[in-house]
Amino acid sequence: MHIGQLIKQKVEERGKTVSWLARELSYCRTNVYKIYDKKSIDTDLLLRISFLLNFDFFKAYSEEVHKTVPNE
């Protein structure tokens, strides 16, 4: 899973812009583009983005684990 691309997808699905996300995070747009390029992300930042976009990115990670870990 590429978390940055998933964040970008959700931003677009919500009809939001890079500028909007940058403002909400108190980041510059360049840093938002860097987030989009990341394969992993700090959990505190991911939590903030989850609230802003009303999407549980942690659940997406959890589902990824369940796909790769055999049932016990």
Side-chain angles (χ1 to χ4, degrees):
M1 181 174 80
H2 191 290
I3 193 64
Q5 289 302 304
L6 182 56
I7 292 168
K8 179 180 179 183
Q9 176 188 337
K10 295 302 173 185
V11 167
E12 291 171 355
E13 285 176 8
R14 303 293 191 270
K16 303 296 184 182
T17 64
V18 171
S19 296
W20 173 84
L21 186 56
R23 248 188 336 272
E24 294 297 315
L25 294 172
S26 298
Y27 280 19
C28 65
R29 285 186 11 229
T30 302
N31 286 341
V32 172
Y33 286 116
K34 288 178 183 178
I35 290 170
Y36 288 172
D37 289 336
K38 290 181 180 265
K39 287 187 78 172
S40 64
I41 190 170
D42 175 78
T43 55
D44 183 57
L45 177 57
L46 189 60
L47 181 62
R48 291 173 60 202
I49 294 171
S50 293
F51 282 123
L52 289 171
L53 295 175
N54 194 30
F55 182 81
D56 187 353
F57 289 98
F58 293 95
K59 183 176 179 186
Y61 270 118
S62 180
E63 289 171 354
E64 189 73 16
V65 169
H66 291 292
K67 285 182 196 173
T68 58
V69 176
N71 293 340
E72 294 185 39

Coordinates of all heavy atoms in Angstrom, one line a residue:
M1 N 0.8 -1.2 0.0 CA 0.0 0.0 0.0 C 0.9 1.2 0.0 O 1.9 1.3 0.7 CB -0.9 0.0 1.2 CG -1.8 1.2 1.3 SD -3.0 1.2 2.6 CE -2.0 1.7 4.0
H2 N 0.5 2.2 -0.8 CA 1.3 3.5 -0.9 C 0.4 4.5 -0.2 O -0.6 5.0 -0.8 CB 1.5 3.8 -2.3 CG 2.5 4.9 -2.5 ND1 2.2 6.2 -2.2 CD2 3.8 5.0 -3.0 CE1 3.2 7.0 -2.5 NE2 4.2 6.3 -2.9
I3 N 0.6 4.9 1.0 CA -0.2 5.7 1.8 C -0.4 7.1 1.2 O -1.4 7.7 1.2 CB 0.2 5.8 3.3 CG1 -0.9 6.4 4.1 CG2 1.6 6.5 3.4 CD1 -2.1 5.7 4.2
G4 N 0.7 7.6 0.6 CA 0.7 9.0 0.0 C -0.3 9.0 -1.1 O -1.1 10.0 -1.3
Q5 N -0.3 8.0 -2.0 CA -1.2 8.0 -3.1 C -2.7 7.8 -2.6 O -3.6 8.4 -3.2 CB -0.9 6.8 -4.1 CG 0.4 7.1 -4.8 CD 0.3 8.4 -5.6 OE1 -0.6 8.6 -6.4 NE2 1.2 9.4 -5.4
L6 N -2.9 7.0 -1.5 CA -4.2 6.9 -1.0 C -4.7 8.2 -0.4 O -5.9 8.6 -0.6 CB -4.2 5.8 0.1 CG -5.6 5.5 0.7 CD1 -6.6 5.1 -0.3 CD2 -5.4 4.4 1.8
I7 N -3.9 8.9 0.3 CA -4.2 10.3 0.8 C -4.6 11.2 -0.4 O -5.7 11.8 -0.4 CB -3.1 10.9 1.6 CG1 -2.9 10.1 2.9 CG2 -3.4 12.4 1.9 CD1 -1.7 10.4 3.7
K8 N -3.8 11.2 -1.4 CA -4.1 12.0 -2.6 C -5.4 11.6 -3.2 O -6.2 12.5 -3.5 CB -3.0 11.8 -3.7 CG -3.2 12.6 -4.9 CD -2.1 12.4 -5.9 CE -2.3 13.2 -7.2 NZ -1.3 12.9 -8.2
Q9 N -5.7 10.3 -3.3 CA -7.0 9.9 -3.9 C -8.2 10.4 -3.0 O -9.1 10.9 -3.6 CB -7.0 8.3 -3.9 CG -8.3 7.7 -4.3 CD -8.3 6.2 -4.2 OE1 -7.2 5.6 -4.1 NE2 -9.4 5.6 -4.1
K10 N -8.0 10.3 -1.7 CA -9.1 10.7 -0.8 C -9.3 12.2 -0.9 O -10.5 12.7 -0.8 CB -8.9 10.2 0.6 CG -8.9 8.7 0.7 CD -10.3 8.2 0.3 CE -10.3 6.7 0.2 NZ -11.5 6.1 -0.3
V11 N -8.2 13.0 -1.0 CA -8.4 14.4 -1.1 C -9.2 14.7 -2.4 O -10.1 15.5 -2.3 CB -7.0 15.1 -1.2 CG1 -7.1 16.5 -1.6 CG2 -6.3 15.0 0.2
E12 N -8.8 14.1 -3.5 CA -9.5 14.3 -4.7 C -11.0 13.9 -4.7 O -11.9 14.6 -5.2 CB -8.8 13.6 -5.9 CG -7.4 14.3 -6.2 CD -6.6 13.5 -7.1 OE1 -7.0 12.4 -7.5 OE2 -5.5 14.0 -7.5
E13 N -11.2 12.7 -4.1 CA -12.6 12.2 -3.9 C -13.5 13.2 -3.1 O -14.7 13.3 -3.4 CB -12.6 10.9 -3.2 CG -12.2 9.7 -4.1 CD -12.2 8.4 -3.4 OE1 -12.6 8.3 -2.2 OE2 -11.6 7.4 -4.0
R14 N -12.9 13.9 -2.2 CA -13.6 14.8 -1.3 C -13.8 16.2 -2.0 O -14.4 17.1 -1.4 CB -12.9 15.0 0.0 CG -12.7 13.7 0.9 CD -14.0 13.1 1.3 NE -13.8 12.0 2.3 CZ -13.6 10.7 2.0 NH1 -13.6 10.3 0.8 NH2 -13.5 9.9 3.0
G15 N -13.2 16.3 -3.2 CA -13.3 17.6 -3.9 C -12.4 18.7 -3.2 O -12.7 19.9 -3.4
K16 N -11.4 18.3 -2.5 CA -10.5 19.2 -1.9 C -9.2 19.4 -2.7 O -9.0 18.7 -3.7 CB -10.1 18.7 -0.5 CG -11.2 18.4 0.4 CD -12.0 19.7 0.8 CE -13.1 19.4 1.8 NZ -13.9 20.5 2.1
T17 N -8.4 20.4 -2.4 CA -7.2 20.7 -3.1 C -6.0 20.5 -2.3 O -6.1 20.5 -1.0 CB -7.3 22.1 -3.7 OG1 -7.2 23.0 -2.5 CG2 -8.5 22.4 -4.5
V18 N -4.8 20.5 -2.9 CA -3.6 20.5 -2.2 C -3.5 21.8 -1.3 O -3.1 21.7 -0.1 CB -2.4 20.5 -3.2 CG1 -1.1 20.7 -2.5 CG2 -2.4 19.2 -3.9
S19 N -3.9 22.9 -1.8 CA -3.9 24.1 -1.0 C -4.8 24.0 0.3 O -4.4 24.5 1.3 CB -4.4 25.3 -1.8 OG -3.5 25.5 -2.9
W20 N -5.9 23.4 0.1 CA -6.8 23.2 1.3 C -6.1 22.3 2.3 O -6.1 22.7 3.5 CB -8.1 22.5 0.8 CG -9.0 22.1 2.0 CD1 -9.9 22.9 2.7 CD2 -9.0 20.9 2.7 NE1 -10.5 22.3 3.7 CE2 -10.0 21.0 3.7 CE3 -8.4 19.7 2.5 CZ2 -10.3 19.9 4.6 CZ3 -8.7 18.6 3.3 CH2 -9.6 18.7 4.3
L21 N -5.5 21.2 1.9 CA -4.9 20.3 2.9 C -3.7 21.0 3.5 O -3.5 20.9 4.7 CB -4.5 19.0 2.2 CG -3.9 17.9 3.1 CD1 -4.9 17.6 4.2 CD2 -3.5 16.7 2.3
A22 N -2.9 21.7 2.7 CA -1.8 22.5 3.3 C -2.3 23.5 4.3 O -1.7 23.5 5.4 CB -1.1 23.2 2.1
R23 N -3.3 24.2 4.1 CA -3.8 25.2 5.0 C -4.3 24.5 6.3 O -4.0 24.9 7.4 CB -5.0 25.9 4.4 CG -4.8 27.3 4.2 CD -6.1 28.1 3.7 NE -7.2 27.3 3.1 CZ -7.3 27.0 1.8 NH1 -6.4 27.5 1.0 NH2 -8.3 26.4 1.4
E24 N -5.0 23.4 6.2 CA -5.5 22.6 7.3 C -4.4 22.1 8.2 O -4.6 22.0 9.4 CB -6.5 21.5 6.9 CG -7.8 22.0 6.2 CD -8.6 22.8 7.2 OE1 -8.8 22.4 8.3 OE2 -9.1 23.9 6.7
L25 N -3.3 21.7 7.6 CA -2.2 21.1 8.3 C -1.2 22.1 8.7 O -0.2 21.8 9.4 CB -1.5 20.0 7.4 CG -2.3 18.8 7.1 CD1 -1.6 17.9 6.1 CD2 -2.6 18.0 8.3
S26 N -1.4 23.4 8.3 CA -0.4 24.4 8.5 C 0.9 24.1 7.9 O 2.0 24.2 8.4 CB -0.2 24.7 10.0 OG -1.4 25.2 10.6
Y27 N 0.8 23.5 6.7 CA 2.0 23.1 5.9 C 2.0 24.0 4.6 O 1.0 24.6 4.3 CB 1.9 21.7 5.4 CG 2.3 20.6 6.4 CD1 2.3 20.8 7.7 CD2 2.5 19.3 5.9 CE1 2.7 19.8 8.6 CE2 2.9 18.3 6.8 CZ 2.9 18.6 8.1 OH 3.3 17.6 9.0
C28 N 3.2 24.0 3.9 CA 3.2 24.6 2.6 C 2.8 23.5 1.6 O 2.9 22.3 1.9 CB 4.6 25.2 2.3 SG 5.9 24.0 2.2
R29 N 2.4 24.0 0.4 CA 1.9 23.0 -0.6 C 3.0 22.0 -0.9 O 2.7 20.8 -1.2 CB 1.4 23.7 -1.8 CG 0.1 24.4 -1.7 CD -0.5 25.0 -2.9 NE 0.2 24.7 -4.1 CZ 0.6 25.6 -5.0 NH1 0.4 26.8 -4.9 NH2 1.3 25.2 -6.1
T30 N 4.2 22.4 -1.0 CA 5.4 21.6 -1.3 C 5.4 20.4 -0.3 O 5.6 19.2 -0.8 CB 6.7 22.3 -1.2 OG1 6.6 23.4 -2.1 CG2 7.9 21.4 -1.5
N31 N 5.1 20.6 0.9 CA 5.1 19.5 1.9 C 4.0 18.5 1.7 O 4.1 17.3 2.0 CB 5.2 20.0 3.3 CG 6.5 20.6 3.7 OD1 7.5 20.3 3.1 ND2 6.5 21.4 4.7
V32 N 2.8 19.0 1.2 CA 1.7 18.1 0.9 C 2.1 17.2 -0.3 O 1.9 16.0 -0.2 CB 0.4 18.9 0.6 CG1 -0.7 18.0 0.1 CG2 0.0 19.6 1.9
Y33 N 2.8 17.8 -1.3 CA 3.2 17.0 -2.4 C 4.2 15.9 -1.9 O 4.2 14.8 -2.4 CB 3.8 17.8 -3.5 CG 2.8 18.6 -4.3 CD1 2.8 20.0 -4.3 CD2 1.8 17.9 -5.0 CE1 1.8 20.7 -5.0 CE2 0.9 18.6 -5.8 CZ 0.9 20.0 -5.8 OH -0.1 20.7 -6.5
K34 N 5.0 16.3 -0.9 CA 6.0 15.3 -0.4 C 5.2 14.2 0.3 O 5.6 13.0 0.3 CB 6.9 16.0 0.6 CG 8.0 16.8 -0.1 CD 8.9 17.5 0.9 CE 9.9 18.4 0.2 NZ 10.7 19.1 1.1
I35 N 4.1 14.5 1.0 CA 3.3 13.5 1.7 C 2.7 12.5 0.6 O 2.8 11.3 0.8 CB 2.1 14.1 2.4 CG1 2.6 14.8 3.7 CG2 1.1 13.1 2.8 CD1 1.6 15.7 4.4
Y36 N 2.3 13.1 -0.5 CA 1.7 12.2 -1.6 C 2.8 11.3 -2.1 O 2.4 10.2 -2.6 CB 1.3 13.1 -2.8 CG 0.0 13.9 -2.5 CD1 -0.4 14.8 -3.4 CD2 -0.8 13.7 -1.4 CE1 -1.6 15.5 -3.3 CE2 -1.9 14.4 -1.2 CZ -2.3 15.4 -2.1 OH -3.5 16.1 -1.9
D37 N 4.1 11.6 -2.0 CA 5.1 10.7 -2.5 C 5.6 9.7 -1.5 O 6.3 8.7 -1.9 CB 6.4 11.6 -2.9 CG 6.2 12.4 -4.1 OD1 5.3 12.0 -5.0 OD2 6.9 13.4 -4.3
K38 N 5.1 9.8 -0.3 CA 5.6 8.9 0.8 C 4.9 7.5 0.7 O 3.7 7.4 0.6 CB 5.3 9.5 2.1 CG 6.3 10.7 2.4 CD 6.0 11.2 3.8 CE 6.9 12.4 4.1 NZ 8.1 12.0 4.8
K39 N 5.7 6.5 1.0 CA 5.1 5.1 1.1 C 4.7 4.8 2.6 O 4.0 3.9 2.9 CB 6.1 4.1 0.6 CG 6.2 4.1 -0.9 CD 7.1 2.9 -1.3 CE 6.2 1.7 -1.3 NZ 6.9 0.5 -1.9
S40 N 5.3 5.6 3.5 CA 4.9 5.5 4.9 C 4.8 6.9 5.5 O 5.3 7.9 4.9 CB 6.0 4.7 5.7 OG 7.2 5.4 5.7
I41 N 4.2 7.0 6.7 CA 3.9 8.3 7.2 C 3.8 8.2 8.8 O 3.5 7.2 9.3 CB 2.6 8.9 6.6 CG1 2.3 10.3 7.0 CG2 1.4 8.0 7.0 CD1 1.2 11.0 6.2
D42 N 4.2 9.3 9.4 CA 4.1 9.4 10.9 C 2.6 9.2 11.3 O 1.7 9.8 10.7 CB 4.6 10.8 11.3 CG 4.4 11.0 12.8 OD1 5.3 10.5 13.5 OD2 3.5 11.7 13.1
T43 N 2.4 8.5 12.4 CA 1.1 8.1 12.8 C 0.3 9.4 13.3 O -0.9 9.5 13.0 CB 1.0 7.1 13.9 OG1 1.9 7.5 15.0 CG2 1.5 5.7 13.3
D44 N 1.0 10.3 13.9 CA 0.3 11.5 14.4 C -0.2 12.3 13.2 O -1.4 12.8 13.2 CB 1.2 12.4 15.2 CG 0.5 13.6 15.8 OD1 -0.5 13.4 16.5 OD2 1.0 14.7 15.5
L45 N 0.6 12.5 12.1 CA 0.2 13.1 10.9 C -1.0 12.4 10.2 O -1.9 13.0 9.8 CB 1.4 13.3 10.0 CG 1.1 14.0 8.6 CD1 0.4 15.4 8.8 CD2 2.3 14.1 7.8
L46 N -0.9 11.1 10.2 CA -1.9 10.3 9.6 C -3.2 10.4 10.3 O -4.3 10.5 9.7 CB -1.5 8.8 9.5 CG -2.4 7.9 8.7 CD1 -2.5 8.4 7.3 CD2 -2.0 6.5 8.8
L47 N -3.2 10.5 11.6 CA -4.4 10.7 12.4 C -5.0 12.1 12.1 O -6.2 12.2 11.9 CB -4.1 10.6 13.9 CG -5.3 10.8 14.9 CD1 -6.3 9.7 14.7 CD2 -4.8 10.8 16.3
R48 N -4.2 13.1 12.0 CA -4.7 14.4 11.6 C -5.4 14.4 10.3 O -6.5 15.0 10.1 CB -3.6 15.5 11.7 CG -3.1 15.7 13.1 CD -1.9 16.6 13.1 NE -2.1 17.9 12.5 CZ -1.2 18.7 12.0 NH1 0.1 18.3 12.0 NH2 -1.5 19.9 11.4
I49 N -4.7 13.8 9.3 CA -5.3 13.7 8.0 C -6.6 12.9 8.0 O -7.5 13.2 7.3 CB -4.2 13.1 7.0 CG1 -3.1 14.1 6.9 CG2 -4.9 12.8 5.6 CD1 -1.9 13.6 6.1
S50 N -6.6 11.8 8.8 CA -7.8 11.0 8.9 C -9.0 11.8 9.3 O -10.1 11.7 8.8 CB -7.6 9.8 9.8 OG -6.7 8.9 9.4
F51 N -8.8 12.6 10.3 CA -9.9 13.5 10.8 C -10.3 14.5 9.7 O -11.5 14.7 9.5 CB -9.4 14.3 12.1 CG -9.5 13.5 13.3 CD1 -8.4 13.3 14.1 CD2 -10.7 12.8 13.7 CE1 -8.4 12.5 15.3 CE2 -10.7 12.1 14.9 CZ -9.6 11.9 15.7
L52 N -9.3 15.1 9.1 CA -9.6 16.2 8.1 C -10.4 15.6 6.9 O -11.3 16.2 6.4 CB -8.3 16.8 7.5 CG -7.6 17.7 8.5 CD1 -6.2 18.0 7.9 CD2 -8.4 18.9 8.8
L53 N -10.1 14.4 6.5 CA -10.7 13.8 5.3 C -11.9 12.8 5.7 O -12.5 12.2 4.8 CB -9.7 13.0 4.5 CG -8.6 14.0 3.9 CD1 -7.6 13.1 3.1 CD2 -9.3 15.0 2.9
N54 N -12.1 12.7 7.0 CA -13.2 11.8 7.5 C -13.0 10.4 6.8 O -13.9 9.8 6.3 CB -14.5 12.4 7.2 CG -15.6 11.6 7.9 OD1 -15.4 11.1 9.0 ND2 -16.8 11.6 7.3
F55 N -11.8 9.9 6.9 CA -11.5 8.5 6.4 C -10.5 7.9 7.3 O -9.5 8.5 7.7 CB -10.9 8.6 5.0 CG -10.6 7.3 4.4 CD1 -11.6 6.5 3.8 CD2 -9.3 6.8 4.4 CE1 -11.3 5.3 3.2 CE2 -9.0 5.6 3.9 CZ -10.0 4.8 3.3
D56 N -10.7 6.6 7.7 CA -9.8 5.9 8.6 C -8.7 5.2 7.8 O -8.8 4.1 7.3 CB -10.7 4.8 9.3 CG -9.9 4.1 10.4 OD1 -8.7 4.3 10.5 OD2 -10.5 3.3 11.2
F57 N -7.6 5.9 7.7 CA -6.4 5.4 7.0 C -5.8 4.2 7.8 O -5.2 3.4 7.2 CB -5.4 6.5 6.8 CG -5.8 7.5 5.7 CD1 -6.4 8.7 6.1 CD2 -5.7 7.2 4.4 CE1 -6.8 9.6 5.1 CE2 -6.1 8.1 3.4 CZ -6.6 9.3 3.8
F58 N -6.0 4.2 9.1 CA -5.5 3.1 9.9 C -6.2 1.8 9.5 O -5.6 0.7 9.5 CB -5.6 3.4 11.4 CG -4.7 4.6 11.8 CD1 -5.2 5.9 11.8 CD2 -3.4 4.4 12.1 CE1 -4.4 7.0 12.2 CE2 -2.6 5.4 12.5 CZ -3.1 6.7 12.5
K59 N -7.5 1.9 9.3 CA -8.3 0.7 8.8 C -7.7 0.2 7.5 O -7.6 -1.0 7.3 CB -9.7 1.1 8.7 CG -10.6 -0.1 8.4 CD -12.1 0.3 8.3 CE -12.9 -1.0 7.9 NZ -14.3 -0.6 7.7
A60 N -7.3 1.1 6.6 CA -6.7 0.7 5.4 C -5.4 -0.1 5.6 O -5.2 -1.2 5.0 CB -6.4 1.9 4.5
Y61 N -4.6 0.3 6.6 CA -3.4 -0.4 7.0 C -3.8 -1.8 7.6 O -3.2 -2.8 7.2 CB -2.6 0.3 8.0 CG -1.5 1.2 7.4 CD1 -1.6 2.6 7.6 CD2 -0.5 0.7 6.6 CE1 -0.6 3.4 7.0 CE2 0.5 1.5 6.1 CZ 0.4 2.9 6.3 OH 1.4 3.7 5.7
S62 N -4.8 -1.8 8.4 CA -5.2 -3.0 9.1 C -5.7 -4.0 8.0 O -5.4 -5.2 8.1 CB -6.4 -2.7 10.1 OG -6.8 -3.9 10.7
E63 N -6.5 -3.6 7.1 CA -7.0 -4.5 6.0 C -5.8 -5.0 5.2 O -5.8 -6.2 4.8 CB -7.9 -3.7 5.1 CG -9.3 -3.4 5.8 CD -10.2 -2.5 5.0 OE1 -9.7 -2.0 3.9 OE2 -11.3 -2.3 5.4
E64 N -4.8 -4.2 5.0 CA -3.6 -4.7 4.3 C -2.9 -5.8 5.1 O -2.4 -6.8 4.6 CB -2.6 -3.5 4.1 CG -1.4 -3.8 3.2 CD -1.8 -4.0 1.8 OE1 -2.9 -3.5 1.4 OE2 -1.0 -4.5 1.0
V65 N -2.8 -5.7 6.5 CA -2.3 -6.7 7.3 C -3.0 -8.0 7.2 O -2.5 -9.1 7.0 CB -2.2 -6.2 8.8 CG1 -1.9 -7.4 9.7 CG2 -1.2 -5.1 9.0
H66 N -4.4 -7.9 7.2 CA -5.2 -9.1 7.1 C -5.1 -9.8 5.8 O -5.3 -11.0 5.7 CB -6.6 -8.7 7.5 CG -6.8 -8.3 8.9 ND1 -6.7 -9.2 9.9 CD2 -7.1 -7.2 9.5 CE1 -6.9 -8.6 11.1 NE2 -7.2 -7.4 10.8
K67 N -4.7 -9.1 4.8 CA -4.5 -9.7 3.5 C -3.3 -10.5 3.4 O -3.2 -11.5 2.7 CB -4.4 -8.6 2.4 CG -5.7 -8.0 2.0 CD -5.4 -7.0 0.9 CE -6.5 -6.0 0.7 NZ -6.1 -5.0 -0.3
T68 N -2.2 -10.1 4.2 CA -0.9 -10.7 4.1 C -0.6 -11.7 5.2 O 0.3 -12.5 5.1 CB 0.2 -9.6 4.0 OG1 0.1 -8.8 5.2 CG2 0.0 -8.8 2.8
V69 N -1.3 -11.6 6.3 CA -1.0 -12.4 7.5 C -2.0 -13.6 7.4 O -3.2 -13.4 7.4 CB -1.2 -11.7 8.8 CG1 -1.0 -12.6 10.0 CG2 -0.1 -10.5 8.9
P70 N -1.5 -14.8 7.4 CA -2.5 -16.0 7.4 C -3.3 -16.0 8.7 O -2.9 -15.6 9.8 CB -1.5 -17.2 7.4 CG -0.1 -16.7 7.6 CD -0.1 -15.2 7.5
N71 N -4.5 -16.5 8.5 CA -5.4 -16.6 9.7 C -4.9 -17.7 10.6 O -4.3 -18.7 10.2 CB -6.8 -17.1 9.2 CG -7.5 -16.0 8.4 OD1 -7.2 -14.9 8.5 ND2 -8.5 -16.4 7.7
E72 N -5.0 -17.4 11.9 CA -4.5 -18.3 12.9 C -5.6 -19.1 13.5 O -6.8 -18.8 13.5 CB -3.9 -17.5 14.1 CG -2.6 -16.8 13.5 CD -1.9 -16.1 14.6 OE1 -1.8 -16.7 15.7 OE2 -1.4 -15.0 14.4

